[in-house]
């Protein structure tokens, strides 16, 4: 057994080492013409005249795993299709943190679901706050590694690009973190916004570090947020361990069909065009906002959003709402007491944001 494989086995909850998970009817390798093994309705619903929805879906559709594997340049066995990347976070907590005993490491301000899943699971959250520097937010990966070792944390969550900070993290730095924690912890790199970044952790890092786990999603760049299709990319061993903890039928068939359509060549070309426009709009919107008196600071971003500190955050928020624009109010976090997160819209929508905030100068 390799060192990385033994790492996964060591970190796996002891009570799950002999646990095989639920074996659904669709897990059977049997074949036939008349399927009477899943207690499904024998007749179609009037809402589904074709009858395709009366059958339970494949828990891990081969076509979807193969399409995701091609997209991310990994083997299909290294892909676990999930209900968005949120499910991947939850599965990792279930598998590798014993309830009430485990610990994870995060670098706030960061995506809140890491802490939410941990706390629902009874795991301790060890925070190593990112630093607000002149160059933007910076996670201290060295301090995160030290904290993981000191707390015997099994999972270190790194959001790259950072949400809500927009922080850029170099793949080489992530590789160094994984190398340092080999045999001790899994490094989970959440790449929900990876398509918008200049560089992102990918298959080459997985090949070199079997304690590395990548989370990806079709919700952002691929414009399928409502379909809830994500992926965990990891070693075959880790994928297998997580699958034991997954619900019997996690993926709805219509969502799978939408994902497969989105992963066809023409759709991927359209995605690339949307991403290119978003990156251009990110630069344009950042420059325009930074020039406004109502804006104190616009942080560099590698995502499809901008984190903006405002001279009067409530007034800015109200002005945007009055213009019919809803943005994310970040002020509940003391580190972001004057900040709003603004997702990139169409050029016209971004123009409306600029106009609404520019009007604050005239109203002052």
């Amino acid at each position: 057994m390799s060192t990385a494989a033994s790492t996964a086995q060591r970190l796996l909850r002891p009570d799950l080492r002999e646990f095989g998970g639920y074996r659904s009817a669709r897990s059977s390798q049997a074949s036939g013409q008349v399927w009477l093994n899943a207690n499904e309705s024998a007749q179609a619903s009037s809402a589904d005249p074709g009858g395709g929805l009366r059958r339970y879906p494949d828990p891990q559709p081969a076509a979807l795993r193969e399409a995701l594997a091609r997209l991310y340049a990994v083997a299909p066995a290294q892909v676990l299709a999930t209900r968005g990347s949120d499910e991947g976070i939850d599965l990792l907590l279930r598998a590798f943190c014993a309830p009430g005993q485990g610990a994870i490491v995060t670098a706030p301000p960061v995506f809140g679901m890491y802490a939410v899943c941990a706390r629902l699971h009874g795991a301790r959250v060890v925070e190593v706050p990112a630093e607000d520097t002149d160059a933007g937010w910076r996670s201290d990966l060295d301090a995160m590694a030290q904290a993981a070792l000191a707390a015997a944390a099994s999972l270190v969550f790194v959001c790259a690009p950072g949400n809500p900070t927009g922080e850029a993290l170099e793949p080489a730095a992530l590789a160094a973190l994984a190398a340092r924690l080999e045999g001790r912890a899994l490094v989970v790199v959440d790449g929900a916004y990876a398509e918008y970044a200049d560089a992102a952790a990918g298959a080459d890092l997985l090949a070199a570090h079997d304690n590395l786990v990548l989370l990806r999603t079709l919700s952002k760049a691929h414009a399928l947020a409502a379909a809830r299709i994500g992926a965990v990319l990891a070693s075959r061993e880790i994928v297998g361990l997580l699958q034991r903890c997954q619900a019997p039928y996690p993926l709805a068939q219509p969502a799978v069909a939408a994902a497969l359509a989105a992963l066809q060549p023409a759709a991927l070309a359209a995605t690339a065009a949307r991403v290119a426009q978003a990156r251009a709009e990110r630069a344009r919107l950042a420059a325009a906002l930074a020039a406004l008196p109502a804006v104190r600071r616009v942080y560099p971003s590698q995502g499809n959003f901008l984190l903006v500190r405002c001279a009067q955050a409530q007034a800015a928020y109200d002005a945007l709402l009055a213009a019919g624009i809803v943005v994310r109010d970040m002020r509940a976090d003391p580190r972001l007491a004057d900040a709003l997160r603004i997702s990139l819209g169409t050029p016209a929508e971004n123009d409306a944001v600029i106009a609404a905030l520019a009007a604050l100068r005239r109203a002052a």
Side-chain angles (χ1 to χ4, degrees):
M1 181 180 292
S2 69
T3 300
S6 63
T7 299
Q9 285 295 333
R10 186 182 69 80
L11 294 174
L12 182 68
R13 286 168 45 183
D15 58 316
L16 295 185
R17 287 175 183 161
E18 304 302 324
F19 176 67
Y22 178 74
R23 298 289 296 174
S24 71
R26 285 293 170 267
S27 300
S28 170
Q29 299 300 310
S31 60
Q33 288 73 50
V34 180
W35 287 82
L36 302 177
N37 68 334
N39 299 339
E40 299 152 326
S41 173
Q43 289 85 34
S45 165
S46 59
D48 175 39
L53 298 183
R54 73 183 179 91
R55 298 292 189 191
Y56 286 109
D58 187 332
Q60 287 291 303
L64 178 60
R65 291 181 84 180
E66 290 166 2
L68 291 169
R70 286 194 297 273
L71 179 66
Y72 301 127
V74 298
Q78 292 178 276
V79 177
L80 183 70
T82 58
R83 288 168 290 181
S85 54
D86 292 341
E87 187 188 21
I89 297 166
D90 185 58
L91 291 174
L92 286 159
L93 263 295
R94 290 191 198 186
F96 296 107
C97 283
Q101 301 174 33
I104 71 168
V105 175
T106 68
V110 75
F111 183 45
M113 283 305 295
Y114 312 138
V116 167
C117 288
R119 287 175 175 141
L120 287 173
H121 195 65
R124 186 159 54 101
V125 179
V126 179
E127 295 186 343
V128 181
E131 184 182 0
D132 187 359
T133 74
D134 291 342
W137 288 92
R138 292 291 179 265
S139 297
D140 188 336
L141 298 186
D142 182 64
M144 292 179 76
Q146 292 178 32
L149 294 172
S154 55
L155 299 168
V156 176
F157 284 96
V158 182
C159 199
N163 171 27
T165 63
E167 177 186 9
L169 284 164
E170 291 297 325
L174 297 171
L177 177 63
R180 180 169 179 185
L181 293 176
E182 185 175 0
R184 306 293 295 274
L186 299 183
V187 175
V188 184
V189 179
D190 186 347
Y193 303 93
E195 291 86 351
Y196 301 99
D198 295 334
D204 55 332
L205 296 191
L206 283 182
H209 306 281
D210 274 1
N211 66 327
L212 188 69
V213 178
L214 306 182
L215 301 180
R216 302 297 291 269
T217 182
L218 301 188
S219 294
K220 311 297 183 181
H222 297 272
L224 288 182
R228 308 306 301 131
I229 297 290
V232 176
L233 311 178
S235 69
R236 290 166 172 81
E237 181 185 27
I238 291 174
V239 167
L241 295 175
L242 295 180
Q243 194 167 1
R244 298 183 198 174
C245 303
Q246 196 172 30
Y249 304 108
L251 306 174
Q253 184 56 44
V256 171
L260 288 172
L263 297 175
Q264 296 301 309
L268 291 174
T271 294
R274 286 195 305 272
V275 169
Q277 182 186 64
R279 285 169 57 92
E281 282 296 292
R282 183 174 69 197
R284 183 178 78 88
L285 181 61
L289 293 179
L292 298 179
V295 173
R296 283 184 177 146
R297 184 175 185 186
V298 180
Y299 286 93
S301 176
Q302 288 284 291
N304 67 337
F305 55 85
L306 295 171
L307 182 65
V308 180
R309 290 196 185 274
C310 302
Q312 297 182 26
Q314 188 62 54
Y317 188 73
D318 291 344
L320 290 165
L321 277 181
I325 301 165
V326 182
V327 300
R328 190 65 175 264
D329 188 347
M330 304 305 300
R331 291 176 292 162
D333 187 329
R335 291 166 288 245
L336 302 173
D338 58 354
L340 305 176
R341 192 193 68 191
I342 303 174
S343 301
L344 299 174
T346 65
E349 290 168 340
N350 296 333
D351 286 341
V353 170
I354 296 166
L357 294 180
L360 288 175
R361 177 178 55 184
R362 292 193 293 272

